[in-house]
Amino acid sequence: MKKIIFDTDIGVDDAFALACAARTQQILGITTVFGNVAVGQAVKNARLFSQLIGCNAPVFRGCSRPLALSPSASATTVHGGDGLGDVLDNPFDEEAGNAVSFIIDTVRALPHEVTLVAIGPLTNIAAAINLAPDIIPLVKELVMMGGAFGTNGHAGNVTPHSEFNIWKDPHAADQVFSSALPVTVLPLDVTHEVLITGDEIRALNMPVLEQISRGYLQYSLAREGFEGMALHDTLTILWLTHPELFVTVSAPVRVVTEGITLGQTLHKVSPLASRFDPYADCRAQTLCLGVEAEKVKAAFLAILQR
Ligand code: RIB
Ligand code: CA
């Protein structure tokens, strides 16, 4: 069990991940960020869903827009107008304590003990290390869902070349990947390999997950002929519980911040020195590019059926 700060733009798959995190990790706090929904809605969703699953971690409000880009489209077509399938009444307030301050203060108070789990745009993480670079060597690990490196054709989901979390704030992602933070990346290369069907969700005996995912499943069925969803964010928690089920590559990562491939994640594969090396000052990060998908899904189902 790790001490984690759960940083989320809480939509449907984020909620699945939170349900798993609450059963397997010590959640020090939930920090919210814009992405699937506006940050205020993410605060409301984090409070509501936490209450519904019996998680009493404090919730904090984070960044409302990217570091440099103009705000872009949310993902309400997929996750519903409220981000949780538009099926729950949500009486909670959207004001909360400052998420970036919470990240900084908590990492300083618990040096080398805190794992940051980021499953939305990396804006809060970038803001924290910009404001307080002293915390970089104190973070145990940043485990994040995002990016795509092309394995099995998984190169993008919001454009042909970019994944949503990175695309929403490519500058933040590039700063985080090229910092000295130890980052473990769960990209589409593996998250698109672990799919759960509507029948398997309904068999979970967790009504709230079935309720909030109905719209997501209908969208997937209409768009792709599959009544199911990729677990995406949940794989950050399955990395913490079952790292042996993943195949990793160690390489520095950069992010394209302009042009037609904006949000694309690139990793250095050539050992040859080059005269102009954009990875020159970047540490190697841990990229999960392979996964034992059926075993990961079985582990996920076992966690939620405890
Ligand atoms: O591309 C998948 C990611 O984008 C997930 O974090 C999902 O919640 C959305 O934010
Ligand atoms: Ca997310």
Side-chain angles (χ1 to χ4, degrees), residues 54-137:
C55 169
N56 58 12
V59 174
F60 298 88
R61 181 178 174 128
C63 297
S64 61
R65 56 166 296 155
L67 293 186
L69 292 183
S70 302
S72 56
S74 60
T76 50
T77 49
V78 182
H79 297 264
D82 69 358
L84 292 179
D86 294 320
V87 292
L88 304 172
D89 291 331
N90 193 333
F92 288 95
D93 186 13
E94 68 176 57
E95 292 308 317
N98 185 291
V100 175
S101 300
F102 174 75
I103 292 169
I104 294 168
D105 295 345
T106 305
V107 171
R108 282 175 174 162
L110 297 168
H112 311 296
E113 293 186 51
V114 179
T115 297
L116 303 176
V117 174
I119 57 174
L122 291 171
T123 315
N124 288 345
I125 309 301
I129 64 174
N130 286 333
L131 270 175
D134 64 286
I135 70 168
I136 292 173

Side-chain angles (χ1 to χ4, degrees), residues 7-14 36 79 118-121 145 163-165 232-233:
D7 189 72
T8 177
D9 60 337
I10 179 161
V12 173
D13 65 309
D14 304 65
N36 288 325
H79 297 264
I119 57 174
M145 187 277 140
E163 178 279 328
F164 181 80
N165 289 337
H232 287 313
D233 294 334

Side-chain angles (χ1 to χ4, degrees), residues 149 166 170 173-175 177-178 252-257 263-268 277-282:
F149 298 89
I166 306 300
D174 192 45
Q175 287 182 24
F177 287 137
S178 53
V253 178
R254 293 297 306 270
V255 180
V256 177
T257 55
Q264 185 177 21
T265 47
L266 304 170
H267 68 304
K268 182 175 181 179
D277 184 352
Y279 303 92
D281 302 324
C282 302

